[in-house]
Each structure stands twice: as structure tokens, then as C-alpha cells.
Amino acid sequence: MTSPHVLIAGAGPVGLVSALTLARAGIRVTVFERATVLTEDLRASTFHPPTLDLLARFGVTGELVAQGLVARYTQQRDRREGLIAEFDMSLLEGETQHPFRLQCEQWKLTRMLLAQLEAMPHVALRFGAVVESVAQDAAGVDLTVRQDGTVTTHRGDYLIGADGAWSAVRQSLGIEFEGFTYPERFLVVSTDFEFADHFPHLSYVNYVSDPQEWCVLLRVPTLWRVLFPTSPDETDEEVLTDASIEARLQGLLPREVPYDITHRTLYKVHQRVAREFRRGRVVLAGDAAHINNPLGGMGMNGGVQDAFNLSDKLVAILNDGADAALLDRYERQRRSVAIEYINANTQRNKKTIEERDPAKRQAVYDELRAIAADPVRQKQYLRKTSMIDALQRSEEIA
Ligand SMILES: Cc1cc2nc3c(=O)[nH]c(=O)nc-3n(C[C@H](O)[C@H](O)[C@H](O)COP(=O)(O)OP(=O)(O)OC[C@H]3O[C@@H](n4cnc5c(N)ncnc54)[C@H](O)[C@@H]3O)c2cc1C
């Protein structure tokens, strides 16, 4: 008898949360990551309360809070009218150990998880290892990996496909990624310019509606990040020029001196959910299983919640002899939440922020103001936007 061994494709937040949960239960884990070092790009910057509650298990939450910014308030704004409604996350006290949004870059989490994994003798971390294909039989999974020009095959009891939106694991299994891609791409620019000195009462998380060009203003510890939609008629090169970025920022807040741009990235944005999350001994999680627009900050949070759900079930199967049918429950729970909650809410958020019809826009604002004015409704709203409802819904699915 050899000890159980789980293979994981991808060392993003989802792969590493899964790896650490399994490794802490004494299960042998091998992680295969295409990049040669941990990716440190500016993607997720918001941790929601239930994700922080789950991560507390690893003892990393205090350090994340120390390296991030505690956002007690979030705001809905209008580019011309200013503040429409402010929501106070401290109303969630008693519902979570962390009644706030944490503004902190996702690479700070992966760096902390990696440090713990590196100290564990039964964990193998293979960087520069590209997963190519998957095969399985009744007893295990064979993963084909290319590293330094050499192709090798690795055997494990189970495989977690946490290899992101273009998942080689999902593609190798031929699982359809159902949904659509938005025609516009999203531009994210970062600047050390202090917007809070110019927009009165700005919070760290601001959704700014506008019929012509909405945007999101997000604070991370050292920078402001501004997210804009772009027109399908502009080429990538045109969107990314200094002049075009400067024009967008000047449109938001005119100033005589040009903005200092620290990062610029252009993303394609999709709403897609894999038709299956589990096939036999292979299970998909995170972006490999579902992707959505970033309005609401639900991609990484949803993925980390997948990772805890899935890896706890694998521990029960491998260490405690639970039935492998538990993985079907994972699919029922997490696929439902991806469709009914994450994709539905992020699509609704986009519709709200870009509403062009003046009457409909004002009706949305009236509704947001009414929610903010009523503590009971505001708490219900915050439970939804902070993903507390999503996690609870997932747990309720049998
Ligand atoms: C602009 C933007 C802003 C965002 N903001 C937020 C936010 O505020 N909050 C939030 O919750 N989410 C946000 N997201 C989404 C979030 O970044 C993702 O949902 C999250 O990174 C998913 O984690 P993951 O581990 O599933 O995938 P990834 O982070 O993509 O990690 C997958 C890993 O697999 C590796 N890999 C890929 N292919 C292979 C292969 N063949 N072999 C081996 N390794 C492979 C990749 O190199 C990567 O390291 C944002 C996304 C964008 C684009």
C-alpha cells in the first residue's frame, strides 16, 4: 500500500489552497506550475469576509490584513453626480469573523501559502512544468507534463485542475466551457496619484456608473487601480498607448500634470461555467471551472471557496474512507453557486454600472439609496455582495 497522492495542476490561489489543505491532513501532494516562479500580476485585489474566515485556518489572515487595507465601506457612485450610496460592512458583525473587505493583492496570499508548502516534506512543487494531458482508469490518474523539453507521466489517486481559465486539464477531458465572451475588453491601470484628495469622501472600493464610460476605483496599499471598459473598435495597441490611457484618466479627473502610470493591462472578459466539474478522478476548481467579469470581486474568492470545499472532501475520501460520490456533491454545490450566484451577480453588476437609460439609471440609484438607508435591507444586500449568502447556499446543497 502506498500513501494517497493528489496531483494539482496550477499554483494560483486555488491550486495552493487545495495543496495546503491536503498536505496539512498528511496527504502527499505534487503541484505542477507552468511558470518558473509564482505569478505576481495585478489581478484580484479584494478578499471577501467568508474567504478570510476560511483562510484563518492556515493562520495567514492576520498577515494578509497587515499587508492589505481594511475597507469598511464600499460605494456606488455616478461620474457626474458623485456619491450615490455607501454601504457599511461593519453591519456584518456577528455573521463573519471579518466584517470588512480586505484590499490586498492575490499574489501576497499565494506567496504565504507557498512558504508553508515549501516547509512540508510530503509536498513536491514543480515550477516550469507544463501540464499537457490527462488519462485515467479505475485506480488512478496519469498526468503528462513537459518540463525542460522532457515529457514525463505522473501517477496520482486524484487530480485537481486548478490551471486557470485556459485549463489544459479541462481541455484534455473535452469538457465544454459554456457561456460567452464580452465584446469589450477591460483596461486596468494603476497609478500612485491620490484620487482621495480630489473626490470627496472616497472609499477604498468604488463602483462608478456612467452611460458613456463607467469605471471602478480600487485602492490597494500603494496604488489606486482604475478599471475601464474599452470599445471593441479600438485595437489593443491603441488602448494601451500613453495618450489613450492619459485621455481616459483626464476624462475621469482632469488635471494639468499627466498621470504617472505604474501598470497597464488589458483583459478579455468572459462569463463561462464548465459543463462538468468532476469527471471520475479529475476535478476542476477556480477559473478552470468558472470565470466571470471582475465587477464584485468574486472570481478568486469563489475559487478559493471551491478549493476548501473540494480538498476537505478529498481528505474525507482519502483519509477517512468516505465515498468518492462526495465529489458529485462538490459539483452540485459549487457549479450551482457559480451559475446562480457568481455569474448572475457579476452580470447584474455590469448591467447596473453601464446602464444608459437615464430613467432606469435613476431608478437603480433610488433603490441603492433606499437599501443604504435601511439597516435591515443594507445587511441583506451586504450578505449578498460579500458572498456570505453564496457560501451558505453552497453548504445547503445536499
Ligand atoms: C483585472 C482582474 C481583476 C480581478 N479582481 C478580482 C478581485 O478583486 N477579486 C476576486 O475574487 N477575483 C478577481 N479576479 C479574478 C481572479 O484573478 C481569478 O479568479 C483567480 O486568479 C483564479 O485563481 P485560480 O487559481 O483558479 O487561477 P489562476 O490564478 O489563473 O492560476 C492558475 C495557475 O495555473 C498555471 N497554469 C496554467 N496552465 C497551466 C498548465 N498547462 N500547466 C501548469 N500550470 C498551468 C498558471 O500559470 C497559473 O499560475 C480578477 C481578475 C482580473 C483579470
Side-chain angles (χ1 to χ4, degrees), residues 171-194:
Q171 292 184 43
S172 172
L173 293 175
I175 295 176
E176 215 176 310
F177 210 21
E178 297 172 326
F180 65 91
T181 301
Y182 288 107
E184 67 269 45
R185 292 138 301 151
F186 285 11
L187 171 70
V188 182
V189 294
S190 306
T191 171
D192 55 12
F193 176 74
E194 186 44 273

PDB file of all heavy atoms in Angstrom, residues 171-194:
ATOM      1  N   GLN A 171      -9.494  21.038 -21.031  1.00  0.00           N
ATOM      2  CA  GLN A 171      -9.475  20.823 -22.479  1.00  0.00           C
ATOM      3  C   GLN A 171      -9.118  19.385 -22.814  1.00  0.00           C
ATOM      4  O   GLN A 171      -9.674  18.802 -23.743  1.00  0.00           O
ATOM      5  CB  GLN A 171      -8.500  21.793 -23.134  1.00  0.00           C
ATOM      6  CG  GLN A 171      -9.000  23.236 -23.026  1.00  0.00           C
ATOM      7  CD  GLN A 171      -8.106  24.220 -23.760  1.00  0.00           C
ATOM      8  OE1 GLN A 171      -7.672  23.965 -24.874  1.00  0.00           O
ATOM      9  NE2 GLN A 171      -7.829  25.346 -23.141  1.00  0.00           N
ATOM     10  N   SER A 172      -8.190  18.811 -22.041  1.00  0.00           N
ATOM     11  CA  SER A 172      -7.796  17.423 -22.308  1.00  0.00           C
ATOM     12  C   SER A 172      -8.980  16.475 -22.105  1.00  0.00           C
ATOM     13  O   SER A 172      -9.108  15.476 -22.807  1.00  0.00           O
ATOM     14  CB  SER A 172      -6.639  17.052 -21.379  1.00  0.00           C
ATOM     15  OG  SER A 172      -6.361  15.691 -21.469  1.00  0.00           O
ATOM     16  N   LEU A 173      -9.849  16.807 -21.170  1.00  0.00           N
ATOM     17  CA  LEU A 173     -11.032  15.967 -20.930  1.00  0.00           C
ATOM     18  C   LEU A 173     -12.163  16.295 -21.902  1.00  0.00           C
ATOM     19  O   LEU A 173     -13.187  15.618 -21.922  1.00  0.00           O
ATOM     20  CB  LEU A 173     -11.540  16.164 -19.490  1.00  0.00           C
ATOM     21  CG  LEU A 173     -10.627  15.672 -18.373  1.00  0.00           C
ATOM     22  CD1 LEU A 173     -11.208  16.036 -17.014  1.00  0.00           C
ATOM     23  CD2 LEU A 173     -10.423  14.161 -18.460  1.00  0.00           C
ATOM     24  N   GLY A 174     -11.994  17.366 -22.680  1.00  0.00           N
ATOM     25  CA  GLY A 174     -13.035  17.753 -23.651  1.00  0.00           C
ATOM     26  C   GLY A 174     -14.286  18.294 -22.982  1.00  0.00           C
ATOM     27  O   GLY A 174     -15.394  18.181 -23.529  1.00  0.00           O
ATOM     28  N   ILE A 175     -14.117  18.882 -21.810  1.00  0.00           N
ATOM     29  CA  ILE A 175     -15.289  19.439 -21.104  1.00  0.00           C
ATOM     30  C   ILE A 175     -15.586  20.836 -21.645  1.00  0.00           C
ATOM     31  O   ILE A 175     -14.702  21.694 -21.702  1.00  0.00           O
ATOM     32  CB  ILE A 175     -15.046  19.489 -19.577  1.00  0.00           C
ATOM     33  CG1 ILE A 175     -14.918  18.064 -19.024  1.00  0.00           C
ATOM     34  CG2 ILE A 175     -16.175  20.252 -18.866  1.00  0.00           C
ATOM     35  CD1 ILE A 175     -14.582  17.987 -17.552  1.00  0.00           C
ATOM     36  N   GLU A 176     -16.831  21.027 -22.030  1.00  0.00           N
ATOM     37  CA  GLU A 176     -17.220  22.304 -22.633  1.00  0.00           C
ATOM     38  C   GLU A 176     -17.217  23.431 -21.591  1.00  0.00           C
ATOM     39  O   GLU A 176     -17.609  23.212 -20.436  1.00  0.00           O
ATOM     40  CB  GLU A 176     -18.634  22.153 -23.191  1.00  0.00           C
ATOM     41  CG  GLU A 176     -18.842  22.933 -24.457  1.00  0.00           C
ATOM     42  CD  GLU A 176     -20.231  22.677 -25.013  1.00  0.00           C
ATOM     43  OE1 GLU A 176     -20.613  21.497 -25.142  1.00  0.00           O
ATOM     44  OE2 GLU A 176     -20.925  23.671 -25.286  1.00  0.00           O
ATOM     45  N   PHE A 177     -16.773  24.624 -22.004  1.00  0.00           N
ATOM     46  CA  PHE A 177     -16.739  25.794 -21.122  1.00  0.00           C
ATOM     47  C   PHE A 177     -17.852  26.715 -21.609  1.00  0.00           C
ATOM     48  O   PHE A 177     -17.634  27.603 -22.439  1.00  0.00           O
ATOM     49  CB  PHE A 177     -15.366  26.462 -21.244  1.00  0.00           C
ATOM     50  CG  PHE A 177     -14.916  27.176 -19.992  1.00  0.00           C
ATOM     51  CD1 PHE A 177     -15.440  26.880 -18.754  1.00  0.00           C
ATOM     52  CD2 PHE A 177     -13.914  28.146 -20.064  1.00  0.00           C
ATOM     53  CE1 PHE A 177     -15.002  27.532 -17.598  1.00  0.00           C
ATOM     54  CE2 PHE A 177     -13.465  28.802 -18.920  1.00  0.00           C
ATOM     55  CZ  PHE A 177     -14.028  28.490 -17.687  1.00  0.00           C
ATOM     56  N   GLU A 178     -19.040  26.498 -21.092  1.00  0.00           N
ATOM     57  CA  GLU A 178     -20.234  27.130 -21.664  1.00  0.00           C
ATOM     58  C   GLU A 178     -20.368  28.579 -21.221  1.00  0.00           C
ATOM     59  O   GLU A 178     -20.136  28.896 -20.047  1.00  0.00           O
ATOM     60  CB  GLU A 178     -21.482  26.360 -21.218  1.00  0.00           C
ATOM     61  CG  GLU A 178     -21.499  24.941 -21.728  1.00  0.00           C
ATOM     62  CD  GLU A 178     -22.631  24.109 -21.123  1.00  0.00           C
ATOM     63  OE1 GLU A 178     -22.979  24.329 -19.957  1.00  0.00           O
ATOM     64  OE2 GLU A 178     -23.130  23.222 -21.845  1.00  0.00           O
ATOM     65  N   GLY A 179     -20.796  29.451 -22.134  1.00  0.00           N
ATOM     66  CA  GLY A 179     -21.004  30.849 -21.777  1.00  0.00           C
ATOM     67  C   GLY A 179     -20.624  31.751 -22.933  1.00  0.00           C
ATOM     68  O   GLY A 179     -20.709  31.360 -24.088  1.00  0.00           O
ATOM     69  N   PHE A 180     -20.164  32.950 -22.605  1.00  0.00           N
ATOM     70  CA  PHE A 180     -19.852  33.904 -23.674  1.00  0.00           C
ATOM     71  C   PHE A 180     -18.686  34.805 -23.268  1.00  0.00           C
ATOM     72  O   PHE A 180     -18.303  34.862 -22.088  1.00  0.00           O
ATOM     73  CB  PHE A 180     -21.094  34.756 -24.008  1.00  0.00           C
ATOM     74  CG  PHE A 180     -21.530  35.650 -22.871  1.00  0.00           C
ATOM     75  CD1 PHE A 180     -21.039  36.944 -22.752  1.00  0.00           C
ATOM     76  CD2 PHE A 180     -22.422  35.195 -21.902  1.00  0.00           C
ATOM     77  CE1 PHE A 180     -21.430  37.774 -21.698  1.00  0.00           C
ATOM     78  CE2 PHE A 180     -22.827  36.018 -20.844  1.00  0.00           C
ATOM     79  CZ  PHE A 180     -22.325  37.304 -20.745  1.00  0.00           C
ATOM     80  N   THR A 181     -18.152  35.502 -24.272  1.00  0.00           N
ATOM     81  CA  THR A 181     -17.079  36.479 -24.060  1.00  0.00           C
ATOM     82  C   THR A 181     -17.652  37.849 -24.401  1.00  0.00           C
ATOM     83  O   THR A 181     -18.305  38.007 -25.437  1.00  0.00           O
ATOM     84  CB  THR A 181     -15.892  36.143 -24.990  1.00  0.00           C
ATOM     85  OG1 THR A 181     -15.465  34.814 -24.672  1.00  0.00           O
ATOM     86  CG2 THR A 181     -14.729  37.104 -24.809  1.00  0.00           C
ATOM     87  N   TYR A 182     -17.429  38.838 -23.529  1.00  0.00           N
ATOM     88  CA  TYR A 182     -17.934  40.192 -23.817  1.00  0.00           C
ATOM     89  C   TYR A 182     -17.170  40.779 -25.005  1.00  0.00           C
ATOM     90  O   TYR A 182     -15.958  40.530 -25.149  1.00  0.00           O
ATOM     91  CB  TYR A 182     -17.712  41.102 -22.612  1.00  0.00           C
ATOM     92  CG  TYR A 182     -18.610  40.823 -21.428  1.00  0.00           C
ATOM     93  CD1 TYR A 182     -18.113  40.223 -20.281  1.00  0.00           C
ATOM     94  CD2 TYR A 182     -19.956  41.178 -21.454  1.00  0.00           C
ATOM     95  CE1 TYR A 182     -18.933  39.978 -19.177  1.00  0.00           C
ATOM     96  CE2 TYR A 182     -20.783  40.937 -20.356  1.00  0.00           C
ATOM     97  CZ  TYR A 182     -20.266  40.340 -19.233  1.00  0.00           C
ATOM     98  OH  TYR A 182     -21.077  40.096 -18.154  1.00  0.00           O
ATOM     99  N   PRO A 183     -17.842  41.593 -25.850  1.00  0.00           N
ATOM    100  CA  PRO A 183     -17.108  42.184 -26.976  1.00  0.00           C
ATOM    101  C   PRO A 183     -16.041  43.176 -26.513  1.00  0.00           C
ATOM    102  O   PRO A 183     -14.992  43.305 -27.130  1.00  0.00           O
ATOM    103  CB  PRO A 183     -18.207  42.899 -27.782  1.00  0.00           C
ATOM    104  CG  PRO A 183     -19.389  43.008 -26.872  1.00  0.00           C
ATOM    105  CD  PRO A 183     -19.270  41.914 -25.856  1.00  0.00           C
ATOM    106  N   GLU A 184     -16.301  43.890 -25.402  1.00  0.00           N
ATOM    107  CA  GLU A 184     -15.313  44.868 -24.943  1.00  0.00           C
ATOM    108  C   GLU A 184     -14.291  44.190 -24.020  1.00  0.00           C
ATOM    109  O   GLU A 184     -14.626  43.238 -23.331  1.00  0.00           O
ATOM    110  CB  GLU A 184     -15.985  46.043 -24.215  1.00  0.00           C
ATOM    111  CG  GLU A 184     -16.649  45.719 -22.895  1.00  0.00           C
ATOM    112  CD  GLU A 184     -18.129  45.350 -23.025  1.00  0.00           C
ATOM    113  OE1 GLU A 184     -18.464  44.561 -23.923  1.00  0.00           O
ATOM    114  OE2 GLU A 184     -18.932  45.827 -22.192  1.00  0.00           O
ATOM    115  N   ARG A 185     -13.060  44.687 -24.047  1.00  0.00           N
ATOM    116  CA  ARG A 185     -12.061  44.216 -23.083  1.00  0.00           C
ATOM    117  C   ARG A 185     -11.993  45.224 -21.936  1.00  0.00           C
ATOM    118  O   ARG A 185     -12.460  46.352 -22.083  1.00  0.00           O
ATOM    119  CB  ARG A 185     -10.678  44.097 -23.750  1.00  0.00           C
ATOM    120  CG  ARG A 185     -10.594  42.998 -24.797  1.00  0.00           C
ATOM    121  CD  ARG A 185      -9.841  43.461 -26.011  1.00  0.00           C
ATOM    122  NE  ARG A 185     -10.505  44.630 -26.605  1.00  0.00           N
ATOM    123  CZ  ARG A 185      -9.903  45.572 -27.282  1.00  0.00           C
ATOM    124  NH1 ARG A 185      -8.617  45.504 -27.501  1.00  0.00           N
ATOM    125  NH2 ARG A 185     -10.577  46.616 -27.770  1.00  0.00           N
ATOM    126  N   PHE A 186     -11.424  44.814 -20.824  1.00  0.00           N
ATOM    127  CA  PHE A 186     -11.306  45.707 -19.667  1.00  0.00           C
ATOM    128  C   PHE A 186      -9.852  46.141 -19.539  1.00  0.00           C
ATOM    129  O   PHE A 186      -8.935  45.319 -19.593  1.00  0.00           O
ATOM    130  CB  PHE A 186     -11.723  44.999 -18.373  1.00  0.00           C
ATOM    131  CG  PHE A 186     -13.212  44.815 -18.199  1.00  0.00           C
ATOM    132  CD1 PHE A 186     -14.103  45.054 -19.232  1.00  0.00           C
ATOM    133  CD2 PHE A 186     -13.724  44.396 -16.979  1.00  0.00           C
ATOM    134  CE1 PHE A 186     -15.475  44.878 -19.068  1.00  0.00           C
ATOM    135  CE2 PHE A 186     -15.096  44.219 -16.798  1.00  0.00           C
ATOM    136  CZ  PHE A 186     -15.966  44.456 -17.840  1.00  0.00           C
ATOM    137  N   LEU A 187      -9.685  47.445 -19.340  1.00  0.00           N
ATOM    138  CA  LEU A 187      -8.350  48.010 -19.134  1.00  0.00           C
ATOM    139  C   LEU A 187      -8.174  48.283 -17.639  1.00  0.00           C
ATOM    140  O   LEU A 187      -9.045  48.895 -17.023  1.00  0.00           O
ATOM    141  CB  LEU A 187      -8.241  49.328 -19.913  1.00  0.00           C
ATOM    142  CG  LEU A 187      -7.000  50.177 -19.645  1.00  0.00           C
ATOM    143  CD1 LEU A 187      -5.749  49.504 -20.215  1.00  0.00           C
ATOM    144  CD2 LEU A 187      -7.169  51.578 -20.261  1.00  0.00           C
ATOM    145  N   VAL A 188      -7.067  47.813 -17.076  1.00  0.00           N
ATOM    146  CA  VAL A 188      -6.771  48.140 -15.677  1.00  0.00           C
ATOM    147  C   VAL A 188      -5.478  48.942 -15.660  1.00  0.00           C
ATOM    148  O   VAL A 188      -4.448  48.486 -16.179  1.00  0.00           O
ATOM    149  CB  VAL A 188      -6.587  46.880 -14.810  1.00  0.00           C
ATOM    150  CG1 VAL A 188      -6.331  47.271 -13.358  1.00  0.00           C
ATOM    151  CG2 VAL A 188      -7.822  46.007 -14.883  1.00  0.00           C
ATOM    152  N   VAL A 189      -5.539  50.162 -15.097  1.00  0.00           N
ATOM    153  CA  VAL A 189      -4.318  50.963 -14.955  1.00  0.00           C
ATOM    154  C   VAL A 189      -4.109  51.270 -13.481  1.00  0.00           C
ATOM    155  O   VAL A 189      -5.072  51.416 -12.731  1.00  0.00           O
ATOM    156  CB  VAL A 189      -4.367  52.275 -15.775  1.00  0.00           C
ATOM    157  CG1 VAL A 189      -4.389  51.981 -17.257  1.00  0.00           C
ATOM    158  CG2 VAL A 189      -5.552  53.136 -15.413  1.00  0.00           C
ATOM    159  N   SER A 190      -2.855  51.330 -13.085  1.00  0.00           N
ATOM    160  CA  SER A 190      -2.536  51.665 -11.691  1.00  0.00           C
ATOM    161  C   SER A 190      -1.712  52.933 -11.669  1.00  0.00           C
ATOM    162  O   SER A 190      -0.875  53.159 -12.549  1.00  0.00           O
ATOM    163  CB  SER A 190      -1.705  50.552 -11.058  1.00  0.00           C
ATOM    164  OG  SER A 190      -2.368  49.343 -11.200  1.00  0.00           O
ATOM    165  N   THR A 191      -1.976  53.737 -10.653  1.00  0.00           N
ATOM    166  CA  THR A 191      -1.238  54.994 -10.510  1.00  0.00           C
ATOM    167  C   THR A 191      -1.063  55.300  -9.027  1.00  0.00           C
ATOM    168  O   THR A 191      -1.915  54.918  -8.211  1.00  0.00           O
ATOM    169  CB  THR A 191      -1.984  56.155 -11.218  1.00  0.00           C
ATOM    170  OG1 THR A 191      -1.337  57.388 -10.877  1.00  0.00           O
ATOM    171  CG2 THR A 191      -3.443  56.256 -10.813  1.00  0.00           C
ATOM    172  N   ASP A 192       0.025  56.000  -8.703  1.00  0.00           N
ATOM    173  CA  ASP A 192       0.187  56.394  -7.295  1.00  0.00           C
ATOM    174  C   ASP A 192      -0.455  57.757  -7.025  1.00  0.00           C
ATOM    175  O   ASP A 192      -0.366  58.294  -5.928  1.00  0.00           O
ATOM    176  CB  ASP A 192       1.662  56.364  -6.855  1.00  0.00           C
ATOM    177  CG  ASP A 192       2.541  57.217  -7.739  1.00  0.00           C
ATOM    178  OD1 ASP A 192       1.992  58.009  -8.540  1.00  0.00           O
ATOM    179  OD2 ASP A 192       3.774  57.101  -7.642  1.00  0.00           O
ATOM    180  N   PHE A 193      -1.154  58.311  -8.027  1.00  0.00           N
ATOM    181  CA  PHE A 193      -1.882  59.557  -7.825  1.00  0.00           C
ATOM    182  C   PHE A 193      -2.966  59.345  -6.753  1.00  0.00           C
ATOM    183  O   PHE A 193      -3.651  58.329  -6.763  1.00  0.00           O
ATOM    184  CB  PHE A 193      -2.532  60.000  -9.147  1.00  0.00           C
ATOM    185  CG  PHE A 193      -3.368  61.227  -8.999  1.00  0.00           C
ATOM    186  CD1 PHE A 193      -2.779  62.464  -8.843  1.00  0.00           C
ATOM    187  CD2 PHE A 193      -4.757  61.137  -8.985  1.00  0.00           C
ATOM    188  CE1 PHE A 193      -3.552  63.601  -8.674  1.00  0.00           C
ATOM    189  CE2 PHE A 193      -5.541  62.264  -8.826  1.00  0.00           C
ATOM    190  CZ  PHE A 193      -4.935  63.504  -8.666  1.00  0.00           C
ATOM    191  N   GLU A 194      -3.123  60.313  -5.829  1.00  0.00           N
ATOM    192  CA  GLU A 194      -4.069  60.143  -4.720  1.00  0.00           C
ATOM    193  C   GLU A 194      -5.461  60.691  -5.093  1.00  0.00           C
ATOM    194  O   GLU A 194      -5.760  61.865  -4.888  1.00  0.00           O
ATOM    195  CB  GLU A 194      -3.511  60.834  -3.457  1.00  0.00           C
ATOM    196  CG  GLU A 194      -4.348  60.604  -2.209  1.00  0.00           C
ATOM    197  CD  GLU A 194      -4.817  59.166  -2.014  1.00  0.00           C
ATOM    198  OE1 GLU A 194      -5.886  58.827  -2.555  1.00  0.00           O
ATOM    199  OE2 GLU A 194      -4.118  58.392  -1.321  1.00  0.00           O
TER     200      GLU A 194
END
